[in-house]
Amino acid sequence: MKNWMIGLLLIAGTMRSALAQPVRSDSVSYTKNGITYGGTLSYPNQKGLVPAVILVSGTGPQDRDGTMGKFRFFADLAQYLNTRGIAVLRVDDRGVGKTSGNYNQSTTEDFAQDAEAGIDFLKMQPKVDPQKIGLIGHSEGGAVISIIGSRRRDVAFLVSMAGLGRKGLDALLKQNADLVAAAPIPEHDKKRYNEINGLMFQTVYANVNRDSLGLAKAIQQTYDTWKKKDDELVKSLGIEHDHFRFPIYSYTVQATGPWYRYHIQYDPAQFLPNVQAPFLAINGDKDIYVSAQENLDNFKRLLQQGGNKDVTVKVFPGLNHQFLACQQCTPSEFASLKKQFPADVLSTIGDWIVAHTTSKKD
């Protein structure tokens, strides 16, 4: 196959799952379209072919285990799925660990191509049933799997965990409003953040196809106009020591980059109506990064609009973006949370995949 090179590397050995089922975990490496991917393929060490899933990460460069502080999001999920008889491929993101490439110059479309390379790799594995390969995407990974599902009919099932199911612009506005609402700052500063955030997002969206210099100029002009008005507000409020800061320089650097340009234009309506594979979408109702109801409603509406008759959505009460039980459910609380998936989250995913990969003949 052109541009395709596969090598199976270090055998990491076998381990015993919580259900006493032998599980094998191999370090793997494969190359496609100039990117070399390093990952881990873990699978039940049993007779016959098994279904398989690829875990697709959210925004920001992550390692194959989906490490977030002391929480290994993907490693824990993979370990559970292995006990359910499912093989799991988890891969370092571009520029992380054993995977080459430049994450900062990549877009959601590039990440979709990365996951597709994983599909093609799994199809060549002797223990994997090539007719039962699916994808699980977390956060931005929900958009990635939507893109792939819209153009490939060899994907057996799709699972979105707190996945992006709305337009990028709408998601940015909602996400930042929720983050501001949760921040321990005065109400007048919350209003200021919401105002400048909204102006910045709308400016980038309106000028997204301009070159970097033109887009940066538009951003600066919007900021300068707002700043004059904001300075008058600060005076009127009698604020002596103003601690409010908008990171105009770092925002401009981010907004003129390829990922942000793609993200703010992302529209799931271009992809989800073309997805025919069974689809499970789940969210925690305390998620302030990807709002549960709006995104789940959109997944369901757009998938069914395209004629997909196998769509399941579910909201889990009391859980945050990482599906951890929380109290305040703010970003600052994450470090103190118990880093363990609730059993019903795991069983929902496991039961659904098993039901969709087990035929009557099995």
Side-chain angles (χ1 to χ4, degrees), residues 143-355:
V144 172
I145 67 172
S146 300
I147 294 169
I148 297 171
S150 73
R151 66 191 183 203
R152 292 187 68 142
R153 292 294 175 259
D154 56 351
V155 176
F157 58 90
L158 299 165
V159 179
S160 167
M161 298 182 69
L164 177 62
R166 306 178 72 195
K167 292 181 178 180
L169 175 61
D170 295 341
L172 282 170
L173 289 166
K174 174 64 175 172
Q175 180 188 78
N176 281 268
D178 287 346
L179 288 169
V180 167
I185 58 176
E187 284 301 318
H188 61 263
D189 280 345
K190 291 183 178 183
K191 291 179 180 178
R192 296 166 75 192
Y193 272 119
N194 284 332
E195 182 177 25
I196 186 59
N197 284 340
L199 287 170
M200 289 291 101
F201 301 154
Q202 294 288 355
T203 296
V204 174
Y205 186 78
N207 295 274
V208 71
N209 291 319
R210 297 177 67 178
D211 61 24
S212 293
L213 187 61
L215 178 54
K217 184 178 180 180
I219 292 171
Q220 189 65 52
Q221 288 175 338
T222 297
Y223 176 78
D224 290 343
T225 301
W226 169 84
K227 189 68 169 62
K228 290 179 182 178
K229 176 183 174 184
D230 186 67
D231 286 344
E232 293 300 319
L233 174 66
V234 171
K235 279 185 182 181
S236 70
L237 293 175
I239 300 173
E240 186 175 352
H241 301 291
D242 185 19
H243 299 290
F244 183 95
R245 298 290 183 275
F246 181 82
I248 182 63
Y249 174 77
S250 59
Y251 178 76
T252 301
V253 171
Q254 180 188 36
T256 54
W259 179 86
Y260 199 94
R261 288 174 184 266
Y262 185 99
H263 178 69
I264 204 167
Q265 296 181 89
Y266 175 75
D267 184 355
Q270 296 177 0
F271 306 104
L272 288 174
N274 297 319
V275 175
Q276 297 303 311
F279 203 107
L280 169 66
I282 63 175
N283 265 82
D285 73 341
K286 300 302 182 183
D287 189 340
I288 62 174
Y289 289 95
V290 176
S291 55
Q293 208 57 58
E294 291 90 343
N295 283 276
L296 292 181
D297 286 349
N298 226 37
F299 272 123
K300 187 173 184 178
R301 177 179 63 82
L302 290 173
L303 287 163
Q304 291 181 340
Q305 177 181 305
N308 193 326
K309 300 184 183 304
D310 195 339
V311 180
T312 303
V313 299
K314 184 171 182 177
V315 178
F316 291 88
L319 303 186
N320 66 11
H321 188 57
Q322 292 81 22
F323 291 88
L324 300 177
C326 57
Q327 296 299 319
Q328 287 78 38
C329 305
T330 60
S332 60
E333 185 192 32
F334 179 79
S336 64
L337 297 178
K338 183 179 181 181
K339 306 302 189 295
Q340 182 177 327
F341 282 115
D344 57 341
V345 171
L346 294 175
S347 63
T348 294
I349 297 171
D351 291 348
W352 187 87
I353 293 176
V354 169

